[in-house]
Amino acid sequence: MEWPLIIASLVLGILLGYVGHTILARNSESDGKGKAHEQTKLELSQHKQEVTDHFELHHKQLAELTEQLNKVNKQWNEAANSLAPKSKAKPLASLVGNETNHDTISVQDDELDSENVIIVNQNN
């Protein structure tokens, strides 16, 4: 009678050990997924900040480039007028750049906000 009881206890112990191990593995796996999810969220927010910084830097560089191009065009037009006043060549256009706060700009899907567009002034 002792052997069947020992064998049944062994089988029951193995089953309980397997079930316990499976439950603990699932809990540790979900903790790992939670940590990975938090890490991914952190990386995403860092990437968003890097992209925002990138666009701010390029906006500043493009605004400076527009300003320099306007100066060059103005000097070119003045030189062309003084050196060849009877020339029929059209003067170079001047770019108009609006300084806007990009946090307050809202563009709808089907509408283009004129504050976001560089307008070429052909009157100069």
Side-chain angles (χ1 to χ4, degrees), residues 77 81 90-96 119-124:
N77 290 335
N81 285 335
K90 293 182 180 178
L92 295 176
S94 182
L95 300 176
V96 177
I119 300 169
V120 177
N121 186 359
Q122 296 180 356
N123 296 332
N124 291 341

Side-chain angles (χ1 to χ4, degrees), residues 39-53:
Q39 179 67 24
T40 304
K41 278 182 157 179
L42 178 64
E43 289 174 2
L44 178 63
S45 66
Q46 288 175 344
H47 180 70
K48 284 181 180 180
Q49 185 62 43
E50 289 173 2
V51 168
T52 301
D53 293 344

